[in-house]
Amino acid sequence: MNVADSELVESILVDQGYKSSNDLNTADVIFINTCSIREHAEDKVHSQLGRYELIKKNRPNTIIGVLGCMAQSLKQDILERRSCVDIILGPDSYRRLPDLLNRGKNQPKSLVDTKLSRFEVYDDLFPSRKDGINAWISIMRGCDKFCTFCIVPFTRGRERSRNPLSIIEEAKKAVDQGFKEITLLGQNVNSYLHEDYYFHNLLEAVAKIPGINRIRYTSPHPQDITVELLSTMAEYDNICNYVHLPLQAGSNKILNRMNRTYTKSKFLSLVDLIREILPDVGISTDIIVGFPGETDEDFSQTIDVMNRVKFDSAFNFKYSPRRGTKASEYDDQILERTKQERLQEVIALQKRHTLERNIKLVGTTQTVLVEKESKMSSNHWAGRTDSNKWVIFSKGNVKIKEMTSVYIKKAKGITLHGELIQDLEEAA
Ligand code: 5AD
Ligand code: SF4
């Protein structure tokens, strides 16, 4: 989401005559687009701001701005601790950038605008995208779910959805610019609703745009996964056979305290339904360990769900208390050591499941979108299957951005290794 927002900010700046620069030491303006989701994300911003302080010392006219979620949640802290910061803008205030930049130099220090809007979706602004494979398209902003651990509803405000016509126009533009994959984005992407136009309607409309090889979306909430959505995914080949399904925890007590709106058994039934409608689907998840009050028994329920579902991959996190959220006030916080132990256990288990799931693909032929050179060697490409698994294969005569068929020979770690069908046919 921050990549997409940064592209939006870049397009606003380009309209003002600015050009993007790769050199912090000579830039006139430096903006950092921030995330507050966990303490670790905020720590990274603080260390970055430390660097900018030195730059400002050498070039006092450099304008430094903090944008996004931390601007929203930590403006007081930033104003007090970081004298180098000139501009603080929350995620709904980017339209004010030209105004602030043009007044910047004569104004008293630190211009702040962190008002949240009920309406801002930046509908008429098209992001500035570099040439690439995947175009991120933001379709809705904000979140009304209020999971008790999560700061997003406070930093990004209420849910609002963009007009489908402007989304489709943006998707067509991306295709014309040569993008092969579209990822529809939202904090709660599948609760998209514009008048009586639902997420599955939008997904179908995007799938019908000629020239889009692949469509992905993130991040959904299990509560809003509908049969209509899954059927639409099954119907269109260019909608990837992949669902991100954040579990967070397996125990009903913890799920309830998290305000996740589903139980363990509802989640498991949803997985069954997804696999029934979308055979061979890739399913990933998010897991939080050490939520307040999580006993060993509660944690074992998370492990149990993992063992039953065998997710293809998982993003695993230690619970990180966020100021202002309900869960940060619970008085049964978990010891750091326990969180760390549980995290290790979840990571190790997921590693086994990922390998187990990937081994099932050995001996099959997968359609892969060629995305980049493999880090492993300059003779190999890396690309993803539509179920979102990375495959490494020798380059042959295919090029980046092409769709190609790869025979899967081996699963190792979290990646697959294969060979181009073309090459195999030539050898035969
Ligand atoms: N602590 C740890 N993980 C969190 N997430 C959101 N808030 C927190 C928090 N306070 C995780 C959730 C969510 C993902 C984007 O980040 O798992 O799905
Ligand atoms: Fe945060 Fe996602 Fe829950 Fe919204 S649905 S509060 S963004 S975890």
Side-chain angles (χ1 to χ4, degrees):
M1 194 53 134
N2 273 10
V3 172
D5 273 8
S6 297
E7 287 174 347
L8 199 69
V9 167
E10 187 176 333
S11 91
I12 295 174
L13 293 176
V14 167
D15 272 354
Q16 294 295 303
Y18 284 88
K19 260 198 346 246
S20 76
S21 158
N22 289 326
D23 185 4
L24 289 177
N25 293 304
T26 56
D28 297 313
V29 182
I30 303 174
F31 287 128
I32 180 158
N33 198 356
T34 60
C35 173
S36 293
I37 195 91
R38 287 171 292 276
E39 197 178 338
H40 182 59
E42 293 186 346
D43 290 346
K44 288 205 274 192
V45 171
H46 278 296
S47 66
Q48 205 62 19
L49 286 174
R51 283 178 67 194
Y52 301 168
E53 238 149 45
L54 295 176
I55 292 171
K56 184 111 175 172
K57 243 186 210 153
N58 291 333
R59 297 184 80 226
N61 283 336
T62 316
I63 297 175
I64 299 197
V66 176
L67 310 181
C69 286
M70 269 175 86
Q72 195 69 43
S73 64
L74 289 177
K75 59 179 174 243
Q76 215 46 47
D77 281 20
I78 294 169
L79 287 174
E80 281 162 20
R81 280 176 58 189
R82 299 290 180 186
S83 58
C84 68
V85 173
D86 303 292
I87 292 176
I88 299 184
L89 279 186
D92 287 348
S93 309
Y94 300 146
R95 281 183 202 272
R96 291 211 57 211
L97 268 170
D99 181 27
L100 296 186
L101 282 169
N102 294 334
R103 308 188 313 176
K105 295 194 179 86
N106 316 320
Q107 286 287 312
K109 284 234 58 153
S110 294
L111 295 156
V112 181
D113 186 345
T114 59
K115 275 191 296 298
L116 286 170
S117 156
R118 295 187 72 86
F119 309 103
E120 182 61 274
V121 285
Y122 300 109
D123 232 346
D124 51 323
L125 292 177
F126 288 108
S128 155
R129 294 198 176 93
K130 311 238 162 33
D131 173 49
I133 310 243
N134 174 71
W136 305 101
I137 301 188
S138 163
I139 65 161
M140 56 84 68
R141 298 178 75 87
C143 178
D144 290 349
K145 292 279 194 295
F146 287 93
C147 301
T148 57
F149 52 80
C150 184
I151 200 162
V152 167
F154 303 98
T155 57
R156 290 206 166 239
R158 298 291 56 76
E159 265 177 29
R160 60 225 109 112
S161 295
R162 266 176 82 180
N163 186 321
L165 295 175
S166 105
I167 297 170
I168 291 162
E169 190 188 337
E170 189 176 332
K172 284 183 177 158
K173 246 188 192 170
V175 177
D176 290 343
Q177 286 173 356
F179 287 90
K180 297 290 167 201
E181 183 177 84
I182 300 273
T183 304
L184 303 177
L185 283 181
Q187 266 82 37
N188 218 313
V189 73
N190 55 336
S191 76
Y192 174 90
L193 181 61
H194 187 268
E195 292 159 7
D196 54 0
Y197 201 81
Y198 287 88
F199 182 59
H200 66 270
N201 301 126
L202 178 69
L203 203 57
E204 177 162 29
V206 175
K208 284 181 172 164
I209 298 173
I212 300 186
N213 288 116
R214 286 192 161 170
I215 302 154
R216 300 184 185 276
Y217 60 87
T218 199
S219 246
H221 189 294
Q223 180 190 318
D224 301 319
I225 301 234
T226 59
V227 171
E228 287 89 343
L229 169 57
L230 298 172
S231 309
T232 307
M233 291 176 69
E235 192 177 335
Y236 291 89
D237 272 354
N238 58 357
I239 305 176
C240 288
N241 203 16
Y242 168 68
V243 179
H244 183 62
L245 197 69
L247 165 68
Q248 314 298 3
S251 133
N252 286 339
K253 178 191 97 190
I254 298 296
L255 285 169
N256 186 32
R257 285 187 113 201
M258 286 178 161
N259 192 29
R260 282 299 286 180
T261 73
Y262 49 84
T263 57
K264 175 182 173 185
S265 68
K266 261 195 179 164
F267 186 92
L268 290 169
S269 312
L270 181 59
V271 171
D272 289 343
L273 180 72
I274 293 172
R275 288 188 167 147
E276 188 187 312
I277 301 180
L278 301 169
D280 301 324
V281 64
I283 303 183
S284 61
T285 197
D286 290 342
I287 288 173
I288 297 178
V289 299
F291 184 82
E294 185 185 67
T295 60
D296 287 341
E297 164 53 28
D298 292 319
F299 176 61
S300 75
Q301 298 297 317
T302 300
I303 298 288
D304 186 47
V305 177
M306 290 177 75
N307 280 323
R308 287 176 188 227
V309 175
K310 299 208 168 121
F311 296 103
D312 292 270
S313 63
F315 301 92
N316 306 306
F317 310 108
K318 288 187 281 189
Y319 168 69
S320 169
R322 306 284 67 211
R323 203 193 294 164
T325 59
K326 203 166 165 188
S328 68
E329 283 157 27
Y330 291 161
D331 56 14
D332 41 9
Q333 302 288 324
I334 302 298
L335 286 175
E336 177 59 27
R337 205 186 57 211
T338 311
K339 286 188 201 174
Q340 190 59 41
E341 283 167 7
R342 290 179 183 165
L343 182 68
Q344 294 311 330
E345 188 174 336
V346 162
I347 290 173
L349 181 61
Q350 184 54 48
K351 230 172 143 179
R352 293 207 297 276
H353 289 164
T354 298
L355 188 61
E356 207 176 299
R357 299 277 308 160
N358 285 357
I359 284 173
K360 285 197 186 328
L361 294 189
V362 173
T364 66
T365 299
Q366 299 287 319
T367 307
V368 174
L369 173 60
V370 186
E371 296 188 42
K372 57 186 182 191
E373 193 164 271
S374 155
K375 282 185 216 134
M376 189 183 89
S377 101
S378 58
N379 299 325
H380 289 76
W381 291 132
R384 277 176 296 163
T385 65
D386 84 330
S387 60
N388 207 28
K389 293 170 189 289
W390 282 97
V391 188
I392 295 174
F393 50 97
S394 63
K395 285 183 176 172
N397 53 15
V398 298
K399 296 190 192 66
I400 283 188
K401 286 195 179 183
E402 283 178 4
M403 301 281 272
T404 189
S405 295
V406 178
Y407 178 77
I408 307 300
K409 293 177 87 175
K410 193 170 71 176
K412 200 173 150 209
I414 53 170
T415 27
L416 297 167
H417 296 255
E419 210 159 312
L420 283 172
I421 288 288
Q422 275 177 19
D423 288 356
L424 287 174
E425 280 168 357
E426 264 167 41

